Amino acid sequence: MKNILLFFFFILIFKTGISQENYASNILTSVSDGEKLLVSYDINASDGTKSFSVILMLTYNGTKITASSVYGDIGSSIEPGSEKAIVWYFKSEFDG
């Protein structure tokens, strides 16, 4: 997909059941094979938090994109650590 680099996205990481704070660091992105977006990140929990909920929010030209073909370290009960990864197969659901 030629316009994938125009995506503005961010990862919000929430302590499960607590306040909304961003614990993500070292967030890196790349496009692979022209059909998937790779997001790698670390979760640092110096306060001892054991579980996080990770969401990926995407917009394109100001329009929210709902990504259903997303896999990896996303969702609820994600443990802290380094080298977490999310893969979004955008080609199967977004043609732009």
Side-chain angles (χ1 to χ4, degrees):
M1 163 191 244
K2 62 183 178 184
N3 294 327
I4 189 69
L5 296 178
L6 298 178
F7 276 96
F8 170 74
F9 64 93
F10 54 95
I11 298 174
L12 295 176
I13 299 187
F14 301 98
K15 291 168 73 169
T16 303
I18 310 287
S19 64
Q20 299 178 359
E21 295 182 46
N22 190 349
Y23 286 79
S25 63
N26 300 322
I27 301 169
L28 301 172
T29 63
S30 64
V31 175
S32 177
D33 302 328
E35 64 182 34
K36 58 187 167 188
L37 175 68
L38 309 171
V39 180
S40 63
Y41 64 96
D42 300 337
I43 299 177
N44 302 311
S46 59
D47 62 357
T49 303
K50 296 183 193 295
S51 177
F52 292 83
S53 291
V54 178
I55 62 172
L56 178 66
M57 297 175 66
L58 302 158
T59 63
Y60 179 72
N61 290 337
T63 303
K64 181 180 175 184
I65 305 239
T66 302
S68 59
S69 299
V70 179
Y71 306 94
D73 297 303
I74 190 166
S76 59
S77 301
I78 304 297
E79 295 179 1
S82 59
E83 300 181 7
K84 302 290 182 180
I86 298 171
V87 178
W88 175 36
Y89 290 91
F90 61 81
K91 194 168 186 174
S92 65
E93 58 184 286
F94 180 77
D95 185 27

